[in-house]
Amino acid sequence: MTPTPPPDPGPGTAGPVAVGFSRVSVRLPRGVERVDRILERAGSSPLERRMFAKFHGLRDSPTLAPDESMEDLLVGAARDALGGRGADVVLYGHTQSVQDFACAPGFAQRLRGALGLPGAGVYGVSQINCVSVLRALEMARRYPSRPGALPGDRVLVLGGDHGSVADAARIVPSVTVAGDAAAAVVVHGPDGNDVPRYRYLSGGALRDGRFHRSLRMTTKELALFSRSCVGHLATALREATDRAGIGFPDIDWIMPDLSSALFWRNFCRETGIRQERICLDLLPERGHNNGVDALCALQHADTTGRLGPGDRVALVALGPGAYFQVVIVEVAPESSR
């Protein structure tokens, strides 16, 4: 079976309106758990735990303290990203289909109230695992191009999962361990009072329906999925660079899914992309946090001074299903900020 792009309309098709993204806001819990301890508690063997540390590069996982809630992390990240201004739409991307805080009715209403957005539409983006947040970015960047768009229209893209709600939910066997983190970014058109930190260039996406059983795949299917991931991600990245009119050598940085260092070593070996262009700094101390990994890596690279005006940055996500998403942005020049 040949993998095909997702059926939703044009995930990477350039629109007529130049779209900008704000700086990314990230909120982390106070707690941290050692990945080794999480795996030991779940019954993993000493050999498997050593492999997670040595080959996957995972050490710590951010974990909510007993008096913290995931909803509070989401609200904190959203408030910071909004910068005291409003938004017309909120898109909340999440990997877990059911969030503990959303089991109680009224999450959308509580979110609107906490952010001072009484009239905003609040929509969830899910059922596509860890690409949900980047797919929400692709949806949001179309908003300024819609019929009837107004200057100053804004979309808040919010992401985050309570990964530590249960060990069974946070451990992907032989692949990664997920933690708790929230991230938010505002997407806007060229008019209004927003000054972009990043400019949207293009996007690419792919899904391979052979692996629709996700984490319920057989051992044989899991092995084939693992072998297919590098090639599929390279195809999605090529789609995005082609749409932007650039090549792999023109990408300055890749903000990755932070599930495994081993995957990125294989990716660099098979594509020829230099490993120093993959921003893996956060992998040991934060590990995988579902759909917000690329945004967290982008925020870290920005605040530590790694990014320069004109840098082209590929945000990357992949997940069981099998889903792949790439969004390419350009760091705005100083004169526009």
Side-chain angles (χ1 to χ4, degrees), residues 48 114 155 173 184 188 219 222 227 238 244 248 258 291 300 306 326:
E48 184 178 9
V155 179
H188 55 83
T219 301
L222 280 168
R227 293 195 300 271
R238 178 68 68 190
F248 282 7
L258 292 169
H300 177 75
R306 181 172 293 190
V326 176

Side-chain angles (χ1 to χ4, degrees), residues 10-19 138 141-142 145 200-203 243-244:
T13 304
V17 175
V19 172
E138 280 286 6
R141 64 96 184 167
R142 299 191 188 101
S145 299
Y200 176 89
L201 294 184
S202 66
R243 283 174 168 159

Side-chain angles (χ1 to χ4, degrees), residues 79-164:
R79 280 177 176 161
D80 187 48
L82 288 168
R85 298 179 57 206
D88 306 282
V89 177
V90 179
L91 298 181
Y92 170 43
H94 53 98
T95 296
Q96 295 179 15
S97 299
V98 178
Q99 300 285 339
D100 61 328
F101 51 83
C103 290
F107 169 63
Q109 291 81 357
R110 294 194 304 273
L111 187 63
R112 291 190 192 99
L115 300 179
L117 305 175
V122 178
Y123 303 94
V125 181
S126 64
Q127 304 295 328
I128 49 176
N129 294 318
C130 295
V131 311
S132 59
V133 179
L134 294 191
R135 185 64 60 80
L137 278 181
E138 280 286 6
M139 294 174 177
R141 64 96 184 167
R142 299 191 188 101
Y143 191 72
S145 299
R146 78 194 190 285
L150 299 173
D153 282 347
R154 306 172 97 215
V155 179
L156 173 68
V157 173
L158 187 59
D161 287 85
H162 186 177
S164 70

Side-chain angles (χ1 to χ4, degrees), residues 29-276:
R30 296 194 311 274
V32 175
E33 278 195 279
R34 301 285 290 188
V35 168
D36 185 78
R37 178 68 187 93
I38 297 167
L39 293 170
E40 182 182 28
R41 189 168 62 229
S44 296
S45 68
L47 175 60
E48 184 178 9
R49 302 200 313 263
R50 287 195 297 271
M51 288 184 64
F52 265 80
K54 182 176 181 180
F55 296 106
H56 297 303
L58 300 171
R59 186 188 69 213
D60 297 327
S61 183
T63 303
L64 288 166
D67 61 338
E68 292 182 300
S69 75
M70 191 65 212
E71 189 170 330
D72 288 340
L73 291 188
L74 292 166
V75 169
R79 280 177 176 161
D80 187 48
L82 288 168
R85 298 179 57 206
D88 306 282
V89 177
V90 179
L91 298 181
Y92 170 43
H94 53 98
T95 296
Q96 295 179 15
S97 299
V98 178
Q99 300 285 339
D100 61 328
F101 51 83
C103 290
F107 169 63
Q109 291 81 357
R110 294 194 304 273
L111 187 63
R112 291 190 192 99
L115 300 179
L117 305 175
V122 178
Y123 303 94
V125 181
S126 64
Q127 304 295 328
I128 49 176
N129 294 318
C130 295
V131 311
S132 59
V133 179
L134 294 191
R135 185 64 60 80
L137 278 181
E138 280 286 6
M139 294 174 177
R141 64 96 184 167
R142 299 191 188 101
Y143 191 72
S145 299
R146 78 194 190 285
L150 299 173
D153 282 347
R154 306 172 97 215
V155 179
L156 173 68
V157 173
L158 187 59
D161 287 85
H162 186 177
S164 70
V165 66
D167 288 343
R170 75 190 303 185
I171 298 172
V172 181
S174 303
V175 177
T176 196
V177 173
D180 308 324
V185 62
V186 172
V187 180
H188 55 83
D191 299 316
N193 298 317
D194 284 298
V195 179
R197 172 56 176 163
Y198 312 101
R199 293 173 176 168
Y200 176 89
L201 294 184
S202 66
L206 182 148
R207 186 194 180 195
D208 189 336
R210 292 177 297 173
F211 307 112
H212 66 92
R213 289 168 52 85
S214 190
L215 298 182
R216 297 185 299 277
M217 289 186 288
T218 65
T219 301
K220 184 178 179 180
E221 288 170 334
L222 280 168
L224 180 59
F225 171 67
S226 296
R227 293 195 300 271
S228 302
C229 278
V230 166
H232 284 354
L233 182 58
T235 298
L237 182 59
R238 178 68 68 190
E239 178 186 354
T241 55
D242 286 349
R243 283 174 168 159
I246 60 177
F248 282 7
D250 301 308
I251 296 294
D252 297 289
W253 303 104
I254 292 179
M255 302 301 162
D257 171 283
L258 292 169
S259 57
S260 169
L262 178 62
F263 173 83
W264 290 106
R265 286 195 292 271
N266 293 337
F267 181 82
C268 290
R269 184 180 66 249
E270 294 189 27
T271 62
I273 292 176
R274 300 194 311 275
Q275 193 161 342
E276 58 266 27

